[in-house]
Amino acid sequence: MYTPRHFAEHDLAALDELIAHDAFVTLVHQQDGAPFATHLPVLYRRDGERVELRGHWSKANPQWRDIAGQSALIIVHGPHAYVSPTWYTDPEQRVPTWNYATAHLYGHVVISEDSAELEAIVTGLSDLYEAKHDSGWRFERTTPDTRRELRGIVGFRFFAERIELKFKLSQNHPVANQRGVIDHLEQHGGDDRRAVAAMMRTRLNEEARDET
């Protein structure tokens, strides 16, 4: 991933932040000489520098058949927002751009068809997302329908070996321009715009604290 120095992020707490915002990722590998991608939700765990993601495919998805042993890429999609030059203090010297945060994780995948592992993955995912809706629904492990559904999926663990974090948040602009972008993103709504503004404000506040 092309990452100019001032947009590079090295603190893995920033990866925690991205995953908490959106754990629906893109998993990419090579199949028959061409890139092949699957979009799926994952469970995330980090212990210091060690990062592991878990998820599952439909067994009908061919990605699981040949991804083991390959170097794979997971793209974590953070919030993003258009930035107009009119929001700067010097708009005549600027051009439109896009602010965003993303992570590229390079590593390897371990496949699992073990029923206990599949149950753990499905239970973890359903518990995580059902809790956000307060639905009361729970994954029932022992019903015939559940066992039939589990036979139709394949689980995986992804172990990250290299992590690239890019937070393009107007760091190459004067503080006054950054504050102008934050104000407009906050005023004109949308979850992604507000999330980008929050990231920008957090980093400005951290820089201000470091200078005192």
Side-chain angles (χ1 to χ4, degrees), residues 88-203:
Y88 302 137
T89 58
D90 53 353
E92 68 284 349
Q93 301 176 33
R94 307 294 178 176
V95 294
T97 191
W98 210 274
N99 278 4
Y100 59 91
T102 189
H104 285 193
L105 282 62
Y106 302 86
H108 68 278
V109 169
V110 175
I111 304 297
S112 176
E113 295 185 77
D114 176 73
S115 59
E117 176 70 10
L118 294 176
E119 286 179 5
I121 292 170
V122 174
T123 299
L125 286 168
S126 59
D127 285 352
L128 175 64
Y129 290 103
E130 288 296 327
K132 296 180 180 181
H133 298 281
D134 195 27
S135 68
W137 187 88
R138 294 293 180 268
F139 177 69
E140 297 293 341
R141 304 182 181 197
T142 58
T143 68
D145 287 344
T146 294
R147 294 190 177 282
R148 184 172 59 252
E149 292 292 333
L150 288 178
R151 288 195 295 271
I153 64 174
V154 178
F156 69 85
R157 291 176 180 264
F158 174 91
F159 298 94
E161 296 161 353
R162 179 165 59 94
I163 297 171
E164 297 178 353
L165 291 161
K166 183 175 183 178
F167 280 60
K168 183 179 177 294
L169 300 171
S170 301
Q171 301 97 316
N172 55 329
H173 282 265
V175 170
N177 281 0
Q178 294 182 52
R179 295 197 183 282
V181 173
I182 291 170
D183 290 343
H184 279 82
L185 291 176
E186 289 178 340
Q187 291 169 12
H188 296 288
D191 289 345
D192 267 14
R193 288 180 174 183
R194 285 191 291 267
V196 169
M199 287 181 172
M200 294 180 67
R201 189 176 295 282
T202 295
R203 280 154 181 77

Side-chain angles (χ1 to χ4, degrees), residues 1-16:
M1 175 169 56
Y2 170 63
T3 308
R5 176 183 52 80
H6 38 263
F7 299 146
E9 177 63 64
H10 304 288
D11 187 350
L12 287 182
L15 178 60
D16 302 342

Side-chain angles (χ1 to χ4, degrees), residues 9 22 24 28 55 61 63 78 84 86 133 153 169 188 195-196 198:
E9 177 63 64
D22 188 353
F24 192 75
V28 186
N61 185 335
Q63 187 170 53
S84 169
T86 62
H133 298 281
I153 64 174
L169 300 171
H188 296 288
V196 169

Side-chain angles (χ1 to χ4, degrees), residues 70-97:
Q70 287 196 31
S71 177
L73 165 66
I74 281 185
I75 302 171
V76 182
H77 306 278
H80 57 90
Y82 173 76
V83 176
S84 169
T86 62
W87 303 347
Y88 302 137
T89 58
D90 53 353
E92 68 284 349
Q93 301 176 33
R94 307 294 178 176
V95 294
T97 191

